[in-house]
Amino acid sequence: MFLHNRNLCRLTTNGVNLAARARQFSGQPAKTAVLMLNMGGPQSTDQVHDYLLRIMTDRDMIQLPVQSRLGPWIAQRRTPEVQKKYKEIGGGSPILKWTELQGQLMCEQLDKLSPTTAPHKHYVGFRYVNPLTENTLAQIESDKPERVVLFSQYPQYSCATSGSSFNSIFTHYRSNDLPANIKWSIIDRWGTHPLLIKTFAQRIRDELAKFVPTKRNDVVILFTAHSLPLKAVSRGDPYPSEIGASVHMVMQELGQTNPYSLAWQSKVGPLPWLAPATDDAIKGYVKQGLKNFILVPIAFVNEHIETLHELDIEYCDELAKEVGVEEIRRAAAPNDHPLFIDALSNIVADHLKSQQAVNPKFLMRCPMCTNPRCRESKRWYQQLCSSQ
Ligand code: FES
């Protein structure tokens, strides 16, 4: 039996848009802006090329020889195959819709949790596709909030993802004036927050309940996260250890009910990346006689191409049939789960209450970092956050 959640990207929470519209037209300017940072995804297939081009020319995300020439060439070459994948999941990425919904729900709760910093307004800043972070910063500046919270939507920190988003804000303000009278602060990682952990645990329980009781305790919980080049790991990128911490906490929350493992998906190119690959892990366990699985995307808070295509279509459907899996299910991403909205709003409310504008860990570089942009960016953030 091969089951996956093709309809996860449908947004069904009606009253939310009305609430957001009411906020938008209330005429009351936001006192606190919460900028939700993420990589983004093309909303239609005609955005795929530019999206890939931005990724392939971002040296924080990927380092290629003669990148200014090779990057555009790879983007051009990969566009048709990536467009095909987006067509197969409905024509575009749902990440913007999910982020908007999460932001609206989060701000409604924040207004109640933290009345002294209300009204709160969410903004979306994507790294590789509209709404691009630099354009959103211009929008925030024209709205003139008293305070801006830069909130990474990657729960676990990597220099290739969260680091790239933060570096892009630094790059933007290197050539643009920093607006006066705004207080800035940063939420850079939150992969072990208790409410995030509870969200993942509940998503897993929901899928476990669909297995017959005689099989349930033997189901392998296979956590899967985007892989990372070993070169970045050797520089000291914190991502693998932060993913491991999330996995550990989720299994603790579940009471260690099932066998589990961690694998890495979506590797590109010939160089060595974190392994085992998720598809190899499935094949390996089937050979060992373990044939029932729940795949858990542990590093992304929305459905996106890697869940809807790679996990649902390529692994839960095609690979599962090919290698003789008995039953495989996929835990939904956090999306608009109420526990997850509580997580977002509590993380921001606690941050607003704290006197700490930035986590000292954020200001450190990887021990073997050789990227001059990281050095300048971290210095700039240190100044930005100490002048608050
Ligand atoms: Fe990690 Fe520069 S690569 S701080």
Side-chain angles (χ1 to χ4, degrees):
M1 192 191 297
F2 311 102
L3 297 165
H4 47 88
N5 299 315
R6 291 286 184 99
N7 293 325
L8 286 171
C9 60
R10 283 199 195 130
L11 305 181
T12 52
T13 316
N14 285 324
V16 169
N17 289 340
L18 291 177
R21 215 169 294 144
R23 183 200 307 280
Q24 201 180 340
F25 293 114
S26 67
Q28 210 183 356
K31 192 167 173 183
T32 304
V34 183
L35 175 54
M36 302 169 83
L37 299 166
N38 211 333
M39 65 187 303
Q43 286 187 76
S44 58
T45 51
D46 58 1
Q47 294 178 357
V48 168
H49 173 263
D50 288 359
Y51 169 75
L52 291 177
L53 181 65
R54 288 190 185 102
I55 292 179
M56 291 298 165
T57 51
D58 174 11
R59 286 191 67 76
D60 292 328
M61 168 58 93
I62 193 162
Q63 289 99 40
L64 301 167
V66 282
Q67 191 147 2
S68 58
R69 287 213 302 275
L70 190 55
W73 183 79
I74 295 173
Q76 189 76 39
R77 203 164 148 261
R78 291 204 60 209
T79 294
E81 111 197 44
V82 176
Q83 281 177 324
K84 185 169 172 277
K85 289 185 180 182
Y86 277 102
K87 273 187 201 140
E88 286 170 8
I89 64 162
S93 167
I95 184 169
L96 179 60
K97 290 180 213 159
W98 281 122
T99 311
E100 290 285 7
L101 180 59
Q102 289 158 348
Q104 288 166 17
L105 294 169
M106 172 185 73
C107 285
E108 283 166 25
Q109 286 198 11
L110 267 176
D111 286 352
K112 291 180 206 136
L113 287 170
S114 181
T116 54
T117 52
H120 304 84
K121 182 176 173 186
H122 82 279
Y123 296 80
V124 179
F126 284 157
R127 182 72 183 89
Y128 305 117
V129 72
N130 284 328
L132 289 167
T133 306
E134 47 272 35
N135 298 337
T136 305
L137 287 169
Q139 176 63 48
I140 292 174
E141 286 173 28
S142 77
D143 289 353
K144 297 189 173 49
E146 289 176 18
R147 182 166 182 175
V148 179
V149 178
L150 304 176
F151 186 12
S152 170
Q153 295 303 291
Y154 303 101
Q156 303 89 3
Y157 192 97
S158 169
C159 298
T161 54
S162 341
S164 174
S165 276
F166 285 110
N167 282 356
S168 76
I169 295 173
F170 155 69
T171 306
H172 173 76
Y173 282 121
R174 199 161 47 175
S175 44
N176 292 275
D177 289 340
L178 192 66
N181 304 323
I182 291 184
K183 201 174 156 186
W184 298 80
S185 63
I186 293 167
I187 304 174
D188 63 330
R189 67 197 77 204
W190 39 286
T192 54
H193 190 276
L195 288 167
L196 175 72
I197 298 304
K198 280 184 194 299
T199 308
F200 281 122
Q202 193 52 49
R203 290 298 201 201
I204 294 168
R205 282 192 204 102
D206 291 346
E207 297 308 312
L208 274 175
K210 295 172 189 165
F211 284 84
V212 292
T214 48
K215 274 188 190 174
R216 200 169 291 150
N217 289 345
D218 300 326
V219 173
V220 175
I221 301 176
L222 185 57
F223 293 91
T224 172
H226 202 294
S227 192
L228 191 69
L230 287 189
K231 227 173 150 183
V233 178
S234 304
R235 274 197 300 266
D237 194 295
Y239 176 76
S241 63
E242 294 195 13
I243 294 283
S246 300
V247 169
H248 172 80
M249 300 292 284
V250 172
M251 289 313 301
Q252 193 164 294
E253 175 70 24
L254 285 171
Q256 306 290 348
T257 49
N258 285 71
Y260 70 96
S261 194
L262 168 62
W264 307 90
Q265 64 180 97
S266 320
K267 172 186 187 294
V268 284
L271 294 173
W273 287 44
L274 281 168
T278 304
D279 50 344
D280 289 340
I282 295 169
K283 287 181 208 161
Y285 281 132
V286 170
K287 273 195 199 139
Q288 292 175 21
L290 297 167
K291 298 189 173 181
N292 294 283
F293 300 89
I294 296 176
L295 301 187
V296 184
I298 190 74
F300 232 73
V301 297
N302 307 295
E303 301 305 339
H304 57 299
I305 188 95
E306 286 86 351
T307 57
L308 298 170
H309 199 283
E310 189 172 357
L311 296 185
D312 289 352
I313 298 176
E314 294 168 42
Y315 301 164
C316 291
D317 191 357
E318 296 165 358
L319 178 71
K321 283 178 191 150
E322 184 191 316
V323 300
V325 161
E326 270 176 33
E327 191 169 339
I328 184 164
R329 296 177 179 277
R330 201 260 296 173
N335 298 334
D336 63 346
H337 194 291
L339 277 168
F340 182 61
I341 303 303
D342 286 351
L344 292 175
S345 46
N346 277 276
I347 288 164
V348 179
D350 290 346
H351 172 79
L352 290 167
K353 263 182 231 133
S354 83
Q355 297 303 311
Q356 194 176 48
V358 62
N359 169 6
K361 170 70 178 161
F362 172 80
L363 297 174
M364 277 181 95
R365 294 164 67 198
C366 295
M368 309 312 283
C369 171
T370 53
N371 181 348
R373 196 169 39 257
C374 297
R375 185 180 60 232
E376 293 166 41
S377 166
K378 300 282 181 183
R379 271 195 209 138
W380 181 78
Y381 276 110
Q382 185 148 34
Q383 248 180 349
L384 181 77
C385 295
S386 63
S387 61
Q388 307 300 318

